[in-house]
Amino acid sequence: MSSETARVSAASPALYDPLRFNRKTPPCAVVIFGANGDLTKRKLMPALYRLAFEGRLAPGFAVIGMSRTAMTDDEFRDRMKEAVKKFLEDSPFDEDLWRSFAQGLFYRAGDVMNPDAYGELKRCLEEVDTARRTASNVLFYLSTQPSQYAPIAEGLGKAGLATGSGWRRIVVEKPFGHDLESARDLDAHLQQFFNESQIYRIDHYLGKETVQNILAFRFGNGIFEPLWNRRYIDNVQITAAESIGVEGRGAYYQEAGALRDMVQNHLAQVMATVAMEPSATFSADAVRDERAKLLRSVRVPKPEDVPLIAVSGQYGPGRVGGEERIGFRQEKGVDPESQTDTYAAITFRIDNWRWAGVPFYIRTGKELPKRVSEIAIQFRSAPLAVFRNNGTADDDASVPNLLILRIQPEEGISLKFVSKRPGLGMTLRPVSMDFNYGSSFGERSPAAYETLLLDAIVGDATLYTRQDMVEASWQAVQPILDDWASRKFDFPNYAAGTWGPKAADEMLARNGHTWRRP
Ligand code: BG6
């Protein structure tokens, strides 16, 4: 190993494994604030257990859970065991492995708003460091109510926990602010105690295999990139449809709404991944610079244009998959007069040379007919419709080429084109060329949280958002948030189990487009 490689690897293990094959965590403690919450049970603990299963965790690994509920270490271990058994998707639960993993789990009850909690946490970290040899490396994971993020950063900073003889990092769950101004405020608070390289703002969509694969697809193949621009692409449709409602999160969701919950973060990041320029290298800053640059090119709509480019919806009662569903206003914790959007469809414009004139349509909603997230790239039609009006009744020859990147479920990619139907005449029909992850690789894809937790622990921020990206995407949606907050909508305007309000179809129709039915 050259001295240069040795120096780089000592400083940051992520840098000498650029394709990220053989990554293992260094020794460390992960402190989870909000350890008794849903995210810890459903996502974080199953992901950490799975990393243990894969042999990715160092022997000196520990988790310290903190929340207000009083619990002993053993009670915490029992609860986490139940959660992992219940929420571990598509992998086996191994009792022996659990026993050794659980020895590294600890719990401290504490109110994060009380400065004393951090003194207690500091003592606990010292004990755990001695017992488990965690090398004083600590990842703090903020999985609490967003209003507690700033106080926790301050508590950690004032207790001297933001620095130490090992590394210190802080992972902040979404939402990062509830508008542009609050996102800036939150960042200013965090930066008082942690510097940018220590702050990991998580957006779990970036950890999804299929979202990462967009980069592989675009930049690992030579044939698509030349077509990836305004000359060949007519419009792009990004859909994240959910067939569930707010599932007990009515109180949170009523304050958030679909635009804040999905569009500003997850779908803006997906759009950036689809539309960004290739980065010169796969290093965290190179990739994030390109994503940020793209998000900064998203046109910020003028207030008077908002009604033309944004559609807000809210579901009323209906049926999804044959099941009776109540309306949003009847959900627990929701105001019966609520003006919150459970559906949002936006036309974004990207003002750069590659994309000028190409609309990016983004839609998301709750209680839609099925769960499906996909990106549909619609190519321009052939310049001369030689097969049009060929005398047949089903004249399908004018169907434009479509490339579908399926994020979930049935992860994969399809290319749709027209083909001659067998027979003596010249009849054309759209056909599809399909790649399916499951059948092509026959391997399990890691869950987004597995990838992202491992990334944060090894110090690889490639798939984490940076403050400039967060601000750019708030900037792009802020006029829409302002407009919607000032209007009174005639809600509900779509029934559960339908594809959203009519106005969303009309928005595309004005450009001569229609939504693809996934
Ligand atoms: C979360 C939102 O960030 O993402 C939820 O708060 C949403 O409302 C979820 O259901 C969707 O994530 P996924 O991975 O199921 O598509």
Side-chain angles (χ1 to χ4, degrees):
M1 199 189 275
S2 73
S3 62
E4 166 128 50
T5 321
R7 204 171 55 239
V8 168
S9 60
S12 168
L15 288 182
Y16 71 91
D17 185 13
L19 296 181
R20 309 147 114 226
F21 290 127
N22 298 312
R23 298 181 310 160
K24 288 201 165 110
T25 71
C28 81
V30 176
V31 176
I32 303 178
F33 293 100
N36 200 27
D38 235 28
L39 187 78
T40 308
K41 291 183 196 141
R42 283 173 186 267
K43 301 287 182 191
L44 303 180
M45 213 39 91
L48 289 171
Y49 168 81
R50 181 69 206 195
L51 290 173
F53 182 87
E54 297 276 342
R56 303 270 184 178
L57 299 184
F61 186 82
V63 176
I64 301 170
M66 187 172 235
S67 62
R68 266 184 311 194
T69 319
M71 243 190 286
T72 62
D73 287 344
D74 280 336
E75 282 165 342
F76 180 59
R77 289 168 185 161
D78 288 345
R79 282 195 198 192
M80 292 303 113
K81 182 176 179 183
E82 286 319 302
V84 170
K85 277 181 154 170
K86 183 163 172 201
F87 295 111
L88 190 65
E89 292 163 5
D90 63 33
S91 20
F93 182 83
D94 179 329
E95 286 285 347
D96 288 341
L97 174 68
W98 176 264
R99 257 192 300 280
S100 78
F101 175 75
Q103 281 171 10
L105 301 188
F106 303 89
Y107 183 82
R108 286 294 178 279
D111 176 0
V112 293
M113 305 305 271
N114 178 353
D116 295 345
Y118 301 93
E120 176 60 23
L121 178 61
K122 192 170 185 178
R123 277 188 294 281
C124 177
L125 273 166
E126 283 160 5
E127 283 166 30
V128 167
D129 191 25
T130 312
R132 303 280 305 177
R133 299 185 189 285
T134 54
S136 187
N137 294 327
V138 189
L139 181 77
F140 298 105
Y141 198 111
L142 274 47
S143 167
T144 59
Q145 290 167 28
S147 59
Q148 297 180 333
Y149 296 165
I152 294 174
E154 181 174 340
L156 292 172
K158 291 199 168 149
L161 286 166
T163 53
S165 57
W167 50 255
R168 302 293 154 103
R169 298 186 190 122
I170 185 165
V171 179
V172 186
E173 259 296 334
K174 73 167 263 267
F176 200 91
H178 60 268
D179 58 13
L180 179 59
E181 199 186 320
S182 56
R184 284 184 174 147
D185 274 359
L186 172 57
D187 187 57
H189 272 103
L190 296 181
Q191 302 263 2
Q192 275 178 29
F193 305 100
F194 292 87
N195 59 45
E196 178 66 31
S197 70
Q198 292 177 286
I199 304 173
Y200 283 61
R201 299 172 195 79
I202 196 164
D203 186 311
H204 81 279
Y205 265 57
L206 288 178
K208 287 183 189 277
E209 284 284 296
T210 37
V211 174
Q212 294 182 66
N213 189 45
I214 298 170
L215 295 183
F217 180 81
R218 290 189 54 200
F219 306 135
N221 296 295
I223 60 172
F224 302 111
E225 206 44 32
L227 306 179
W228 214 258
N229 58 56
R230 62 192 296 276
R231 290 182 62 195
Y232 299 98
I233 293 178
D234 185 66
N235 70 86
V236 176
Q237 301 186 7
I238 302 177
T239 299
E242 294 188 275
S243 54
I244 51 168
V246 289
E247 297 207 301
R249 296 159 76 222
Y252 152 77
Y253 198 87
Q254 146 139 314
E255 297 305 313
L259 186 61
R260 284 193 177 89
D261 188 48
M262 291 290 290
V263 178
Q264 180 273 336
N265 34 64
H266 303 327
L267 301 180
Q269 293 298 335
V270 170
M271 175 168 75
T273 311
V274 170
M276 68 190 238
E277 295 300 314
S279 62
T281 66
F282 197 52
S283 77
D285 270 329
V287 174
R288 299 196 301 171
D289 284 348
E290 292 306 335
R291 277 213 179 92
K293 204 167 87 195
L294 188 285
L295 288 167
R296 280 197 300 273
S297 326
V298 176
R299 187 182 304 168
V300 180
K302 295 198 195 90
E304 63 272 25
D305 290 340
V306 171
L308 298 173
I309 58 106
V311 172
S312 157
Q314 187 193 82
Y315 62 85
R319 295 178 79 81
V320 180
E323 223 181 77
E324 210 62 61
R325 298 288 168 88
I326 55 173
F328 179 64
R329 288 176 173 184
Q330 287 83 54
E331 300 272 6
K332 195 164 154 250
V334 173
D335 174 359
E337 301 284 303
S338 173
Q339 284 287 313
T340 300
D341 50 306
T342 62
Y343 174 100
I346 316 290
T347 307
F348 284 110
R349 298 281 177 175
I350 298 174
D351 287 334
N352 65 18
W353 278 48
R354 189 191 278 265
W355 295 116
V358 180
F360 279 70
Y361 300 119
I362 290 193
R363 64 176 161 170
T364 183
K366 300 271 187 202
E367 297 285 14
L368 298 185
K370 60 177 181 179
R371 173 176 184 252
V372 56
S373 299
E374 64 161 45
I375 301 149
I377 315 277
Q378 186 166 322
F379 290 90
R380 288 185 187 280
S381 303
L384 187 63
V386 277
F387 296 115
R388 194 166 287 167
N389 298 323
N390 57 1
T392 61
D394 67 349
D395 176 16
D396 279 337
S398 56
V399 175
N401 296 126
L402 263 182
L403 179 74
I404 316 291
L405 307 171
R406 290 193 306 277
I407 296 177
Q408 62 194 23
E410 292 165 26
E411 293 81 357
I413 298 176
S414 301
L415 181 63
K416 300 200 185 284
F417 51 95
V418 290
S419 170
K420 181 183 176 306
R421 204 180 215 156
L424 296 177
M426 193 62 185
T427 316
L428 306 192
R429 215 190 70 183
V431 292
S432 177
M433 219 154 70
D434 294 309
F435 150 71
N436 180 294
Y437 260 89
S439 52
S440 293
F441 291 111
E443 270 172 48
R444 165 188 181 273
S445 296
Y449 276 95
E450 279 168 62
T451 305
L452 293 171
L453 276 165
L454 180 61
D455 282 357
I457 297 171
V458 301
D460 180 348
T462 313
L463 300 177
Y464 281 83
T465 61
R466 230 170 33 191
Q467 181 63 14
D468 53 348
M469 296 153 78
V470 171
E471 288 189 20
S473 52
W474 275 122
Q475 223 141 15
V477 300
Q478 191 62 51
I480 308 173
L481 289 171
D482 294 343
D483 180 77
W484 289 3
S486 72
R487 281 211 275 155
K488 190 155 169 36
F489 292 99
D490 193 11
F491 282 161
N493 60 354
Y494 71 99
T498 65
W499 279 103
K502 256 202 354 254
D505 297 332
E506 290 160 6
M507 177 173 82
L508 265 65
R510 285 195 291 275
N511 298 338
H513 293 141
T514 46
W515 288 108
R516 183 186 122 74
R517 182 60 53 86

